[in-house]
Amino acid sequence: MSNAMIDFGYVRPRSVAEAAKLLADEPEAKVLAGGQSLIPILKQRLARPSLLVDVQALDAMRGIEIDDSHVRLGAFTRHAEVAANARIAEALPALAHMARGIAHPQVRHMGTIGGSLAHNDPGADYPAAVLGLGATIVTDRRRIAADEFFTGLFDTALAAGELLLQIEFPRHRRSGYCKIPHPASGLVNTGVWITRLGDGVRVAVNGASPCVFRHGELEQRLAAHFDPASLDDFQQPAQGLNADMHTSAEYRAQLVEVAARRALSMALSH
């Protein structure tokens, strides 16, 4: 691997319009938020941007808003802010619980929800919450439903130069999340988010496959009976699940079953 320094520009725009223009003018530019996803990629030479667009000064990407129906988080909201916010803990207990378990303290105090979602690492926590709650992604151009946002490994529906500004979560206290983390990195090995809605159930699985996904069979089982007994004969197929040096696909299948039971237990406790 070459030790040559990567040469790129750096700009901190003062408005969303300025940031959007910079990204449009520089197709190889990258957005820099908390840097917890981007910096490791740069260090490994997996990305060679021509320009880093630092969005820390953009007020449109900040803020926490909570009303009777939604929790809205600016894309620059850090994991530690979500974990420590008492109003979020009251409105969406599972979301605060999830944020408290993300990686390590340094990552939680630097990483942002927008950066996590835009990167869409299979081992990230927030994609499960967004998909499991049926959240809406708000950008500088449009609103994107959770079911349309995550499109594949490290890939999303965001267009080139599109800025993620806010995430709009519906309030559902009957939610639960369990992840089995990698013991060193804290990334999700396998995780499950469960939410009981007024007319059904949403179940999102992260870590186990290349991209977070909704689990149709678990949704049907729990929609019929939101009870642990509904999972008694459930068996997760290993086909299509990730296999790596840490965990086989067969073991991940078993972890889906374990995480689903624990997530359901949390959802039933609220």
Side-chain angles (χ1 to χ4, degrees), residues 33-131:
Q36 299 307 293
S37 298
L38 180 60
I39 298 302
I41 291 174
L42 294 178
K43 290 174 67 176
Q44 295 174 54
R45 304 298 199 265
L46 296 176
R48 292 180 176 268
S50 59
L51 177 70
L52 292 186
V53 180
D54 187 339
V55 296
Q56 293 190 63
L58 303 185
D59 290 340
M61 300 179 72
R62 295 183 178 275
I64 296 173
E65 304 171 7
I66 301 174
D67 59 28
D68 291 342
S69 59
H70 290 88
V71 172
R72 298 177 179 87
L73 302 180
F76 204 82
T77 305
R78 300 190 191 274
H79 311 322
E81 295 179 77
V82 179
N85 190 292
R87 295 178 65 213
I88 293 177
E90 192 281 327
L92 276 175
L95 189 66
H97 162 79
M98 183 212 70
R100 288 192 289 268
I102 292 176
H104 304 296
Q106 179 177 340
V107 173
R108 290 195 292 274
H109 282 83
M110 290 297 297
T112 66
I113 181 172
S116 174
L117 294 175
H119 187 54
N120 192 23
D121 190 311
D125 291 87
Y126 274 113
V130 168
L131 192 59

Side-chain angles (χ1 to χ4, degrees), residues 17 24 29 40 43 49-50 53-54 57 60 100 105 134 151 157 176 182 194 201 220 229 246 256:
K43 290 174 67 176
S50 59
V53 180
D54 187 339
R100 288 192 289 268
T151 57
H182 185 282
I194 295 174
V201 175
Q220 291 174 9
H246 304 293
V256 170

